[in-house]
Amino acid sequence: QVQLQESGPGLVKPSGTLSLTCAVSGGSISSNNWWSWVRQPPGEGLEWIGEIYDSGSTNYNPSLKSRVTISMDKSKNQFSLNLSSVTAADTAVYFCARDVLSGWFDSWGQGTLVTVSS
Amino acid sequence: DFVMTQSPDSLAVTLGERATINCKSSQSVSSSNKNYLAWYQQKPGQPPSLLIYWASTRESGVPDRFSGSGSGTEFTLTISSLQAEDVAVYFCQQYYTTPHTFGQGTKVEIK
């Protein structure tokens, strides 16, 4: 069973860039899968941020597209999220997930809380 | 974007009784006899866990008291006999198109 683990700073200053990495174990990131980022503000619902495919192709949520970059490092079996120009509204638990057929999410990381505050 | 609306927002069910959660999409998420709809369970402090995909296919290891149905714009998740460990928030998600979108969640509690 593939396992995912998010890592990165838990506190980011307003107007800064949020950077997170998702390490994949128990399977190869180069396995014809999509890999996604999903976030959840405290006490709220789930918002899909974007996804990256084995080939490097990406899809982003239009609501965040101007600020989001998702990349992949196959040599380290991990993928990353950069979200620029953050505000308090970007405070959330950020999850990485395996995205089957650009569809459902069958494996999730435990999530990491990122707070945007000065 | 496809807007997913769940009802009710919360429900309290007696142990052993049936729980039914509805999910309505703003546009059809069905095509060529496929329903692009998944269901998740999320317990406090945990990530969501996949229950069902293709609207009615149970993920491996999911108890058979969980079932999904529906097509087009109307879908249902049913827990046939609620157990204490089923207390959680449940989300539907469409993957017919990007951006993938989720319902707002339905909180299930014990009456």
Side-chain angles (χ1 to χ4, degrees):
Chain A
Q1 175 76 346
V2 69
Q3 294 184 317
L4 298 91
Q5 180 65 58
E6 305 88 352
S7 61
L11 182 64
V12 181
K13 294 187 185 306
S15 79
T17 296
L18 179 160
S19 296
L20 296 174
T21 296
C22 180
V24 178
S25 59
S28 174
I29 201 171
S30 301
S31 55
N32 298 318
N33 281 303
W34 290 85
W35 303 90
S36 272
W37 289 96
V38 177
R39 70 180 183 179
Q40 185 172 37
E44 297 186 25
L46 299 161
E47 179 180 32
W48 178 76
I49 298 169
E51 63 189 359
I52 187 166
Y53 188 59
D54 180 17
S55 65
S57 296
T58 54
N59 293 310
Y60 298 131
N61 192 322
S63 68
L64 298 168
K65 187 174 183 177
S66 64
R67 300 193 290 131
V68 172
T69 302
I70 297 176
S71 59
M72 178 183 282
D73 186 337
K74 293 183 181 181
S75 67
K76 295 182 178 178
N77 218 40
Q78 64 186 33
F79 62 106
S80 299
L81 168 70
N82 277 357
L83 180 66
S84 63
S85 304
V86 297
T87 70
D90 295 310
T91 293
V93 175
Y94 285 76
F95 298 100
C96 57
R98 186 171 69 177
D99 183 351
V100 181
L101 301 176
S102 185
W104 60 93
F105 307 106
D106 71 338
S107 297
W108 295 70
Q110 283 300 305
T112 187
L113 174 62
V114 179
T115 301
V116 178
S117 174
S118 55
Chain B
D1 294 4
F2 283 45
V3 177
M4 309 301 290
T5 304
Q6 292 180 228
S7 61
D9 289 333
S10 65
L11 75 162
V13 177
T14 302
L15 285 173
E17 295 299 304
R18 179 186 302 262
T20 301
I21 300 169
N22 300 301
C23 176
K24 184 171 185 176
S25 174
S26 60
Q27 301 177 63
S28 175
V29 297
S30 301
S31 178
S32 302
N33 288 324
K34 287 188 174 181
N35 302 300
Y36 293 73
L37 193 286
W39 288 97
Y40 301 86
Q41 175 192 68
Q42 187 178 32
K43 297 181 179 180
Q46 295 185 19
S49 176
L50 176 68
L51 294 173
I52 286 170
Y53 54 97
W54 294 130
S56 61
T57 301
R58 261 189 310 275
E59 172 73 333
S60 175
V62 172
D64 61 6
R65 64 179 179 273
F66 292 93
S67 63
S69 63
S71 65
T73 61
E74 306 269 356
F75 297 89
T76 300
L77 174 70
T78 301
I79 309 172
S80 61
S81 176
L82 191 75
Q83 304 300 303
E85 60 266 31
D86 301 334
V87 169
V89 178
Y90 294 82
F91 295 93
C92 61
Q93 175 233 335
Q94 68 79 20
Y95 49 93
Y96 183 83
T97 187
T98 56
H100 304 311
T101 49
F102 295 86
Q104 82 277 14
T106 295
K107 186 175 186 178
V108 174
E109 299 173 309
I110 304 295
K111 185 185 292 184

